[in-house]
Amino acid sequence: MKQLYFFTIAFFLSLAGFAQTDSIEHKVNALVQKMSLDEKVGQLCLKGTSSRSKGLSDELKDQVRKGLVGAILNLTDTALVLQIQKIAVEESPNHIPLLFGRDVIHGYKTIFPIPLGLAASWDTTLIEKTSEIAANESYSRCINWTFAPMVDICRDPRWGRIAESPGEDPYLASIFAKAYINGFQGNNLAEPGRILACAKHFAAYGAAEGGRDYNTVSISQNTLRNIYLKPFKSSVDAGAATFMTSFNDLNGIPASGNTFLLKDVLRTEWKFRGFVVSDWNSVTEMIPHGYCTDEKDAALKAASAGLDMEMTSQAYAHHLKTLIAENKITIAELDEMVKNILRIKFRAGIFENPYFEGREKFALLDPASLALAKSAAIKSFVLLKNEKNILPLTVQKKIAVIGPLANAPKEQLGTWIFDGNKNDSQTPLTALRNMYGTENINYVSGLTYSRDESQAIFDQAYKAAKKSEVVLFFAGEEAILSGEAHSRADIRLPGAQEELIKRLYKAGKPIVLIIMAGRPIVIEHLLPYISAVVMAWHPGTMAGPALADVLSGKENFSGKLPVTWPKTVGQIPIYYNHTNTGRPADSTSFVGIKDIPIEAWQSSLGNTSHYLDAGYTPQYPFGYGLSYTRFTYAKTTIEKNTLTKVDSLIVTTTVTNTGNRIGTETVQLYVQDVTASLVRPVRELKAFAQVELKAGETKTVRFAIAVSELGFYNNEGIYLIEPGTFNLWVSANAADGFKQSFEVK
Ligand code: GLC
């Protein structure tokens, strides 16, 4: 009887859901029927101004009045938003409301760590919560569409936009994508406080050759599908309302005109029902790409490929009507593009609530939001070195605080901070003075900004170090040195920071290097001068209190690297899920450049895949991060060693906190398909679990992975699960762990 009851409920709920979707489709179809050609083209136009403009031109108002605009970006004055929305709703021919977009990448006013830092937390609940706060704050300021999450996999820290990325791993990126989208959109796009997400940049933008932004991308189908497309598929599954195309060409065809991406994959395979917007002018940039002859050709190729909305450039506004008159684009194709947009507008509820009703209940910089920002920063920090347990600072009385990032309220916010305000920042200097007493903090910046070459205040910094027991050196990059168009060919500390560290070393006090940057920084040659290293990324508004808490030991570290950390820029691209090659290097065969005998015989060095001068291992591996305590892993048990394709791999291990304080460990499960019809990575992250353990506590960790998750796409785009031997590791990072094996039949 109970089953019947539940079935009946489920049946009527599904009917309700279907009815809701059906009513939206009905509304969309009915509205499109009433629209003129001009209005239809108008919906495809995202107009707007630079991220800093304040105005609202009469021309834009008039275009909205005529129904020639679908959405506006970067309108930051709420009064102006409501004013132009009123024009759209009350004066345009079919009263279609506008969407208002903005880059809210890691917070609106409460700024969280940059996404690469959030990724280092490996905490999807945290990421979802930060996105919800960002959505609430944005909505309160009349923004209903964010151009986030950026889910571009990146294996190249020269690329400035690695700062915005979820890192190098497709599994992590996929679950982070879902968390961001759930945080922004919630379960109901029309709920006040929620905003439309935009999965970007579709696709493979992070594979730009040489890490140089906007550069060409040439990758195989299997790499595209097994690495770069995975977080985008996850975004569709999570219900992302919109997608944004990327600036790059993919194997010769720019993403904004790429039918394979926008129709074959996104619509036909993945059944995406939202709409696709171009990136800034990326439609007309297909002309300099050398893919389109002129603006009209760009409009044709973008529309034919399935690009729904054009950001800022005007190819659609100028040429779509002509292309339709010439029957190069059909009315049916145009209607499909318009329907994709209207469908999202109806789902967003802006026909019923165009004026952001309910926004007044969301505050900016709410204490709970700031507390979350501090917690997020703490979880994002990665402890990379801690010689002689110099950290935490429990015994030191006099502390030297030195470096260009110690008191840099703007820089600590990181890239893509359109609405964050440095006046809201709490810096490390302030927080450490509050924690230890100003009289115990000897502060000298040493350099006035990260690129500063002047050594004029080195002496003062040296004296501050000399009269202290420990030096906290806050190094790194100004925010402008990462993010869009800010790739670096040399990823060491900029300016004279290295020289200052070496000068301070002569004071004979231990140095703790705290790096605030948008990317891993090459520090191999500095390590002999450094006792401890903390990667803080750009931690956001609450950088100071968060760093004071971990440096003092009030809080423990738990962050793990979401990207491989290179020894030198020459190793790049370097990432953990690489293939083995036919001549993998190992410690028994490798001879470093300093150890090569004079007049060594040509083939005497072991012909394997390595660099004579940089070896074959990174500085720090993916998934690496230390704690103030220690964890040991017992031997892993595999429930069944021979599995079929419909089975699940069940793996259990126990983890013990063998240190003397509580800590959180991120236990990682890696799998290797040893032999397959395509060479497969030496390891792939397939699951992880975060376990908090008190001193001496032991917990059991159990993983259940469907064998269907162990497959891969081949170069024909076919997903294969092939029988054979698989290896697995349960470990603390991508380089550690005890190898065990199982079979798939
Ligand atoms: C930029 C970025 C994109 C951003 C858009 C709007 O060029 O590539 O990520 O969302 O323009 O600002």
Side-chain angles (χ1 to χ4, degrees):
M1 187 55 192
K2 193 179 276 188
Q3 282 80 356
L4 177 61
Y5 170 76
F6 282 121
F7 173 78
T8 310
I9 293 290
F11 176 70
F12 282 106
L13 282 175
S14 68
L15 276 184
F18 179 76
Q20 199 261 351
T21 309
D22 184 45
S23 79
I24 285 181
E25 287 309 308
H26 176 73
K27 288 176 187 170
V28 165
N29 291 330
L31 181 49
V32 166
Q33 298 301 324
K34 294 192 292 182
M35 293 167 72
S36 68
L37 186 54
D38 280 331
E39 282 182 278
K40 290 179 181 178
V41 174
Q43 281 303 305
L44 313 185
C45 300
L46 167 54
K47 305 252 178 174
T49 49
S50 89
S51 52
R52 293 182 296 182
S53 79
K54 298 293 180 212
L56 191 57
S57 68
D58 289 339
E59 182 198 5
L60 184 58
K61 288 181 196 173
D62 191 47
Q63 287 174 345
V64 168
R65 189 169 290 111
K66 291 174 183 165
L68 304 181
V69 183
I72 292 177
L73 87 157
N74 291 333
L75 191 53
T76 54
D77 181 326
T78 53
L80 294 180
V81 168
L82 297 173
Q83 179 191 347
I84 201 159
Q85 184 73 307
K86 194 168 187 304
I87 294 172
V89 168
E90 295 184 4
E91 301 178 42
S92 75
N94 278 291
H95 317 295
I96 301 172
L98 301 163
L99 290 173
F100 294 92
R102 183 84 165 157
D103 292 283
V104 182
I105 310 300
H106 52 110
Y108 176 81
K109 193 62 75 179
T110 302
I111 303 303
F112 300 102
I114 54 172
L116 191 58
L118 286 173
S121 74
W122 291 50
D123 185 336
T124 51
T125 304
L126 171 77
I127 287 175
E128 181 169 338
K129 194 62 193 150
T130 63
S131 307
E132 183 179 357
I133 299 294
N136 294 168
E137 291 193 352
S138 303
Y139 185 84
S140 79
R141 308 298 295 164
C142 295
I143 292 162
N144 49 22
W145 182 23
T146 179
F147 303 125
M150 188 267 220
V151 294
D152 298 307
I153 297 284
C154 179
R155 297 167 151 177
D156 190 332
R158 292 172 295 181
W159 192 46
R161 302 196 79 163
I162 192 173
E164 311 164 49
S165 86
E168 73 187 39
D169 182 70
Y171 173 79
L172 268 190
S174 298
I175 60 171
F176 292 158
K178 186 169 182 292
Y180 278 113
I181 291 161
N182 290 345
F184 289 133
Q185 297 188 164
N187 297 319
N188 173 9
L189 285 182
E191 179 193 338
R194 297 296 184 175
I195 58 177
L196 303 179
C198 181
K200 72 183 186 182
H201 306 78
F202 193 55
Y205 183 29
E209 194 170 276
R212 197 165 72 247
D213 207 354
Y214 316 119
N215 205 5
T216 191
V217 171
S218 295
I219 50 178
S220 66
Q221 271 299 309
N222 87 78
T223 300
L224 175 67
R225 285 185 177 273
N226 294 315
I227 304 292
Y228 294 93
L229 290 188
K230 284 220 165 153
F232 287 101
K233 174 63 168 63
S234 172
S235 299
V236 171
D237 296 345
T242 68
F243 263 49
M244 182 188 293
T245 55
S246 55
F247 286 119
N248 58 284
D249 74 273
L250 173 62
N251 298 329
I253 299 178
S256 299
N258 196 307
T259 306
F260 165 73
L261 284 177
L262 301 183
K263 282 189 174 172
D264 302 348
V265 174
L266 190 57
R267 299 289 181 184
T268 306
E269 277 186 50
W270 295 352
K271 309 287 187 253
F272 176 61
R273 295 282 288 157
F275 73 81
V276 181
V277 64
S278 77
D279 203 335
W280 191 288
N281 292 347
S282 64
V283 167
T284 49
E285 286 176 6
M286 292 197 284
I287 301 165
H289 262 294
Y291 186 64
C292 298
T293 49
D294 55 24
E295 197 182 54
K296 182 179 176 185
D297 189 32
L300 174 59
K301 285 177 177 157
S304 305
L307 182 89
D308 299 312
M309 186 183 277
E310 181 180 11
M311 183 190 291
T312 54
S313 54
Q314 312 247 0
Y316 281 5
H318 294 162
H319 303 287
L320 264 188
K321 282 175 66 176
T322 308
L323 290 166
I324 285 164
E326 294 169 357
N327 211 22
K328 289 177 181 164
I329 295 288
T330 65
I331 285 289
E333 285 177 302
L334 174 66
D335 285 357
E336 202 51 39
M337 297 156 76
V338 177
K339 288 179 182 178
N340 290 335
I341 294 165
L342 293 179
R343 183 175 304 115
I344 293 300
K345 288 190 173 183
F346 276 112
R347 285 186 54 209
I350 61 174
F351 284 88
E352 295 77 19
N353 176 13
Y355 302 118
F356 298 88
E357 282 157 32
R359 68 179 186 277
E360 60 286 343
K361 68 181 181 182
F362 302 109
L364 302 181
L365 298 162
D366 180 279
S369 304
L370 292 171
L372 183 73
K374 177 182 171 184
S375 165
I378 286 169
K379 291 180 176 181
S380 72
F381 299 149
V382 184
L383 180 60
L384 297 173
K385 179 181 181 182
N386 191 18
E387 213 164 62
K388 303 188 187 103
N389 292 326
I390 185 69
L391 289 178
L393 303 173
T394 48
V395 296
Q396 295 82 351
K397 289 289 172 286
K398 296 292 181 189
I399 299 169
V401 172
I402 301 171
L405 276 296
N407 194 35
K410 162 76 171 58
E411 310 313 338
Q412 71 185 48
L413 298 178
T415 187
W416 282 112
I417 297 306
F418 280 172
D419 303 289
N421 188 324
K422 68 176 186 177
N423 298 325
D424 302 320
S425 293
Q426 299 185 37
T427 68
L429 175 63
T430 307
L432 289 164
R433 281 175 168 164
N434 292 341
M435 178 169 277
Y436 289 96
T438 302
E439 70 283 3
N440 294 314
I441 299 295
N442 299 318
Y443 169 64
V444 175
S445 66
L447 292 161
T448 53
Y449 60 104
S450 75
R451 289 165 291 141
D452 189 356
E453 302 278 358
S454 164
Q455 303 200 10
I457 40 183
F458 276 26
D459 286 348
Q460 292 173 50
Y462 175 83
K463 287 173 186 156
K466 199 70 182 162
K467 64 184 184 179
S468 305
E469 294 160 83
V470 64
V471 175
L472 299 182
F473 191 89
F474 290 88
E477 297 175 322
E478 294 149 84
I480 194 69
L481 300 183
S482 61
E484 182 176 351
H486 303 153
S487 298
R488 294 178 65 202
D490 176 352
I491 56 173
R492 291 177 300 168
L493 292 173
Q497 296 181 65
E498 294 188 358
E499 291 78 358
L500 179 53
I501 288 169
K502 291 172 184 171
R503 177 70 189 281
L504 295 173
Y505 182 73
K506 292 173 181 161
K509 306 298 170 67
I511 298 174
V512 175
L513 178 65
I514 299 103
I515 301 171
M516 286 195 205
R519 54 167 59 85
I521 297 290
V522 166
I523 55 171
E524 183 187 33
H525 51 295
L526 293 176
L527 291 175
Y529 302 94
I530 303 292
S531 299
V533 181
V534 174
M535 182 53 173
W537 315 102
H538 282 123
T541 305
M542 298 297 283
L547 278 166
D549 278 8
V550 291
L551 294 170
S552 64
K554 187 176 171 193
E555 293 288 348
N556 194 353
F557 288 93
S558 59
K560 298 274 187 173
L561 292 178
V563 283
T564 298
W565 191 294
K567 285 176 183 154
T568 167
V569 75
Q571 286 185 309
I572 295 170
I574 184 168
Y575 46 92
Y576 88 93
N577 48 359
H578 60 82
T579 54
N580 203 30
T581 79
R583 294 194 175 187
D586 64 32
S587 55
T588 58
S589 63
F590 173 65
V591 179
I593 195 165
K594 291 177 181 156
D595 303 322
I596 298 174
I598 295 170
E599 296 186 0
W601 180 251
Q602 166 77 18
S603 60
S604 64
L605 300 183
N607 299 324
T608 60
S609 181
H610 61 259
Y611 298 96
L612 291 176
D613 51 357
Y616 57 95
T617 58
Q619 191 70 57
Y620 305 109
F622 174 85
Y624 179 84
L626 300 174
S627 166
Y628 285 147
T629 188
R630 290 177 309 287
F631 302 99
T632 56
Y633 290 55
K635 189 170 176 351
T636 300
T637 55
I638 303 173
E639 189 173 277
K640 220 166 83 174
N641 276 80
T642 302
L643 303 167
T644 68
K645 292 180 184 179
V646 294
D647 282 337
S648 286
L649 167 68
I650 310 288
V651 173
T652 308
T653 190
T654 59
V655 183
T656 301
N657 178 343
T658 53
N660 56 17
R661 63 170 290 163
I662 193 168
T664 297
E665 172 69 329
T666 300
V667 182
Q668 301 155 42
L669 171 66
Y670 294 92
V671 172
Q672 176 191 18
D673 185 347
V674 179
T675 308
S677 55
L678 288 179
V679 293
R680 303 297 303 133
V682 293
R683 286 199 195 199
E684 292 179 276
L685 180 72
K686 290 296 179 184
F688 68 89
Q690 293 192 307
V691 281
E692 184 180 72
L693 296 167
K694 298 183 184 65
E697 187 179 14
T698 294
K699 279 185 182 172
T700 298
V701 178
R702 180 177 184 276
F703 294 112
I705 312 291
V707 169
S708 58
E709 293 300 311
L710 307 182
F712 62 95
Y713 285 95
N714 67 10
N715 284 314
E716 289 67 47
I718 297 163
Y719 188 72
L720 302 170
I721 306 161
E722 296 180 340
T725 301
F726 287 72
N727 293 329
L728 72 82
W729 297 260
V730 175
S731 62
N733 61 67
D736 282 355
F738 176 73
K739 182 172 77 178
Q740 291 172 262
S741 302
F742 62 95
E743 297 292 323
V744 171
K745 291 297 179 204

